[in-house]
Amino acid sequence: PTSNILSDGTLTVELRIKSMESATNTSSAAKCQPFVPTNPLCRNIQRLLFDEDTADVLFEISKRQTSSDEGGNNDEIVTFRAHRAILHASAPTLATLCESCDNSTPVPITNVTPDIFELVLRYVYGLCIQAEDWKLHSKELIDAADQYGVINLKLEAEYWYVKMTNVMIDNVVDVLLYAESKHLALLEERVMDYFVENGDEALKLVPFHQIPESRSFFTGLLAAMNVKKGEGGGSVSISTIKHLNYKTARVDELRRRLDDAGYDVDGSREILIGRYEKMLADGNGDENGDEEEIASLTSSRRRSSTLSDGPRH
């Protein structure tokens, strides 16, 4: 019946048209764009890795091998070439080891296997580390990066270690002690989350007497409890909040805001909080932050010694 298609006796027709010519022209225009090469600096630096002609540093690592024929151990020396300028920029502790050596004098590397040291150098030169290497060697990369001052490598390896480690009753103490020994705030936070999520079981079975008492332990635990408490009311990204409650904030958010302001992001939760307070007192934080708290921190800093950590310049 006409009553189903007419509105007040009027037939309305809706017509939608798609212009294929416009899409074709756009595609053709994109294909006709002139070729403009990218800046080759990063690629050129990556190509310098292990380049013997331009390298001015020689590293030497002893690779112990077991000889089945002789029934003993043989030391195979593995060498790596590098460049002082790149090391100074990306691995300052490693660069310091080279200061007293000339171009031909080997710098001995200890406590790191050749395979891990090669991954460290690849990262220093801006090359990618494959996912499989992150999964298999995240702990060794943390140790090496911490030893030689490659902070971003340490933090990325920590991410993978947290991702690949299943925290449970059997290993929770060892994981926590390792996190504290290397100042791994993200890993320590994962342990605190475990305690909060498995409180009853943890109280019964975890040997807490093996865990040294520290302010960092209790503040981390309180932060994890605060997150758990807020889960029931719907989650809101901390990044959308004008002023960060930094004392109970997640490690990711503390690191993100410190990094945005140019501050170092390595260290334990307590160290990160200290840097955040310094950032606020220096006036480098969110301009929409709590002015009274910033003023209080500034006054407190005047009465006490200043922190040694500052912006990276």
Side-chain angles (χ1 to χ4, degrees):
T2 57
S3 59
N4 292 338
I5 60 174
L6 298 180
S7 176
D8 296 329
T10 303
L11 175 64
T12 302
V13 178
E14 180 178 347
L15 181 64
R16 299 183 182 183
I17 302 175
K18 181 177 180 181
S19 175
M20 300 303 296
E21 180 181 356
S22 175
T24 303
N25 290 340
T26 301
S27 177
S28 299
K31 291 180 180 179
C32 294
Q33 288 294 326
F35 169 73
V36 178
T38 58
N39 190 319
L41 177 61
C42 292
R43 184 169 63 252
N44 290 340
I45 290 177
Q46 293 170 355
R47 288 174 177 172
L48 289 175
L49 181 62
F50 309 140
D51 185 82
E52 295 187 5
D53 295 332
T54 60
D56 53 6
V57 175
L58 177 64
F59 293 110
E60 186 177 87
I61 304 179
S62 176
K63 180 180 180 181
R64 184 169 294 275
Q65 290 188 334
T66 301
S67 174
S68 57
D69 296 335
E70 301 176 5
N73 293 325
N74 296 323
D75 286 342
E76 176 188 350
I77 302 301
V78 181
T79 59
F80 296 93
R81 299 278 182 175
H83 302 77
R84 295 175 191 270
I86 296 176
L87 296 178
H88 276 291
S90 303
T93 306
L94 191 58
T96 302
L97 296 177
C98 311
E99 291 179 352
S100 59
C101 299
D102 57 33
N103 296 3
S104 59
T105 303
V107 179
I109 297 297
T110 58
N111 302 322
V112 180
T113 65
D115 290 343
I116 297 301
F117 191 71
E118 180 175 343
L119 290 175
V120 171
L121 288 180
R122 288 182 60 85
Y123 187 93
V124 165
Y125 277 74
L127 291 165
C128 294
I129 295 179
Q130 300 300 318
E132 194 63 23
D133 288 322
W134 287 119
K135 294 176 182 178
L136 294 175
H137 305 298
S138 56
K139 190 172 187 292
E140 294 97 323
L141 287 169
I142 289 173
D143 295 340
D146 185 64
Q147 181 176 350
Y148 296 118
V150 191
I151 301 305
N152 285 12
L153 172 60
K154 174 185 174 182
L155 299 184
E156 189 168 355
E158 180 191 14
Y159 159 79
W160 280 96
Y161 187 68
V162 170
K163 184 177 180 179
M164 301 304 298
T165 301
N166 183 23
V167 179
M168 58 185 69
I169 288 293
D170 294 339
N171 67 359
V172 64
V173 172
D174 291 336
V175 173
L176 178 59
L177 294 177
Y178 177 67
E180 292 186 343
S181 70
K182 299 295 180 181
H183 301 297
L184 302 172
L186 190 64
L187 181 59
E188 186 176 2
E189 182 178 75
R190 176 65 191 93
V191 174
M192 298 307 157
D193 289 342
Y194 173 83
F195 284 143
V196 171
E197 295 165 2
N198 303 273
D200 293 339
E201 184 182 21
L203 285 173
K204 294 177 183 177
L205 301 176
V206 173
F208 283 98
H209 65 278
Q210 297 180 16
I211 303 175
E213 295 182 8
S214 67
R215 181 182 175 185
S216 177
F217 176 85
F218 290 108
T219 55
L221 190 59
L222 288 172
M225 293 172 63
N226 183 65
V227 171
K228 187 67 176 178
K229 181 180 178 181
E231 286 180 355
S235 61
V236 178
S237 172
I238 295 178
S239 300
T240 65
I241 302 175
K242 290 183 178 180
H243 181 50
L244 176 68
N245 184 5
Y246 61 89
K247 291 184 179 178
T248 55
R250 302 294 282 180
V251 168
D252 267 343
E253 189 63 29
L254 283 172
R255 285 176 172 172
R256 183 178 295 108
R257 296 203 178 196
L258 286 170
D259 186 66
D260 288 345
Y263 286 73
D264 187 4
V265 295
D266 186 29
S268 66
R269 181 184 184 82
E270 285 296 298
I271 292 174
L272 296 178
I273 289 176
R275 289 200 190 106
Y276 198 89
E277 291 178 341
K278 183 178 187 300
M279 181 187 74
L280 292 178
D282 289 345
N284 294 323
D286 190 340
E287 61 183 5
N288 295 317
D290 189 334
E291 295 180 359
E292 292 184 2
E293 183 167 10
I294 294 175
S296 174
L297 288 168
T298 304
S299 176
S300 175
R301 275 170 47 78
R302 289 171 180 169
R303 294 192 300 268
S304 61
S305 60
T306 58
L307 294 171
S308 60
D309 307 292
R312 299 189 302 268
H313 294 303

